[in-house]
Amino acid sequence: GAGVSQSPSNKVTEKGKDVELRCDPISGHTALYWYRQRLGQGLEFLIYFQGNSAPDKSGLPSDRFSAERTGESVSTLTIQRTQQEDSAVYLCASSLRRDGYEQYFGPGTRLTVT
Amino acid sequence: AQKVTQAQTEISVVEKEDVTLDCVYETRDTTYYLFWYKQPPSGELVFLIRRNSFDEQNEISGRYSWNFQKSTSSFNFTITASQVVDSAVYFCALSVRPRGNKLVFGAGTILRVKS
């Protein structure tokens, strides 16, 4: 079946512009996660959705970052007034439920802020 | 707080050698889950295995095996008879119930298998 998809695959933007990153989880997966991977580093948790609510936003690095999920499906991560340190691969994952279920990752969106 | 340590930054082996990737975790919770993911050069993370804290049985899947030891807080991963296609970055990760299942990742180990 279809896996997690993300769009765009690559995004180059100028410092100060806003960007939106999209994630389509696996159908039926109620939990959705956003992570960030800086070059050569491990993954950092950003935010977690259970259904359409976000019980854990503890990883969002600043108030320039926000995310929403609608219809228990698609999620959008928005970064306002992008900075060069926002350059990274943004990965989305989904799991059937929370609490110990394995997460399946999308291919990521590579964001470059110039 | 939860923490995962993968002390080996990079390992190089010759094809057909066995290799073990180390993972040490820290948590005060009694219910937790451990994972290994593979990130090949293409970049997409591939799920390999999940273990819960109450199941210390070792697992073998083909050339892959995992050794979970609570006494040493370790969850090591061994590849037997390595192949060039095993070259990737391998991540160990931890999630804790009921903290929403967010994964705490180690820094990753780069495995290079040379022919």
Side-chain angles (χ1 to χ4, degrees):
Chain A
V4 178
S5 61
Q6 292 185 247
S7 61
S9 54
N10 278 287
K11 177 72 176 178
V12 180
T13 190
E14 290 181 355
K15 178 180 171 182
K17 301 274 188 178
D18 298 352
V19 295
E20 282 190 356
L21 312 180
R22 177 188 168 109
C23 171
D24 282 273
I26 293 172
S27 178
H29 279 196
T30 62
L32 186 148
Y33 306 80
W34 285 96
Y35 295 87
R36 177 171 71 177
Q37 185 176 28
R38 291 194 166 117
L39 186 63
Q41 298 187 19
L43 282 78
E44 309 168 70
F45 166 79
L46 296 177
I47 187 170
Y48 148 66
F49 288 91
Q50 180 61 42
N52 293 340
S53 64
D56 190 349
K57 308 178 184 179
S58 62
L60 294 177
S62 75
D63 58 8
R64 296 186 296 105
F65 287 72
S66 63
E68 64 175 20
R69 187 180 184 195
T70 56
E72 293 199 352
S73 180
V74 172
S75 176
T76 303
L77 177 68
T78 301
I79 309 174
Q80 295 178 310
R81 305 182 303 281
T82 52
Q83 304 292 314
Q84 287 187 332
E85 62 261 29
D86 299 334
S87 296
V89 176
Y90 289 83
L91 291 155
C92 175
S94 71
S95 68
L96 189 59
R97 293 181 185 86
R98 57 177 227 176
D99 290 349
Y101 282 80
E102 57 269 27
Q103 297 177 23
Y104 294 93
F105 284 80
T109 293
R110 182 176 298 279
L111 175 65
T112 304
V113 182
T114 61
Chain B
Q2 295 76 48
K3 185 178 177 182
V4 176
T5 302
Q6 294 180 256
Q8 303 149 308
T9 304
E10 186 169 337
I11 302 175
S12 288
V13 298
V14 176
E15 216 171 11
K16 297 184 184 177
E17 283 186 19
D18 298 348
V19 58
T20 296
L21 310 181
D22 297 332
C23 173
V24 174
Y25 62 92
E26 294 177 31
T27 180
R28 293 183 180 178
D29 295 84
T30 56
T31 302
Y32 53 89
Y33 305 87
L34 295 163
F35 304 80
W36 276 94
Y37 283 85
K38 173 182 180 180
Q39 189 174 41
S42 62
E44 194 155 345
L45 277 152
V46 176
F47 165 75
L48 296 178
I49 189 171
R50 175 191 65 179
R51 256 305 179 249
N52 74 55
S53 52
F54 299 109
D55 183 1
E56 282 193 79
Q57 276 195 338
N58 292 329
E59 181 155 341
I60 298 174
S61 176
R63 296 184 297 107
Y64 296 170
S65 62
W66 290 269
N67 184 346
F68 176 26
Q69 292 196 344
K70 289 178 76 169
S71 59
T72 55
S73 296
S74 65
F75 186 44
N76 296 338
F77 172 30
T78 297
I79 302 174
T80 303
S82 59
Q83 299 177 3
V84 173
V85 293
D86 295 327
S87 297
V89 182
Y90 290 86
F91 291 98
C92 181
L94 165 73
S95 72
V96 173
R97 183 175 183 174
R99 302 183 198 277
N101 202 31
K102 68 181 181 187
L103 291 171
V104 175
F105 283 85
T109 297
I110 300 170
L111 175 64
R112 302 188 197 280
V113 181
K114 302 174 184 176
S115 58

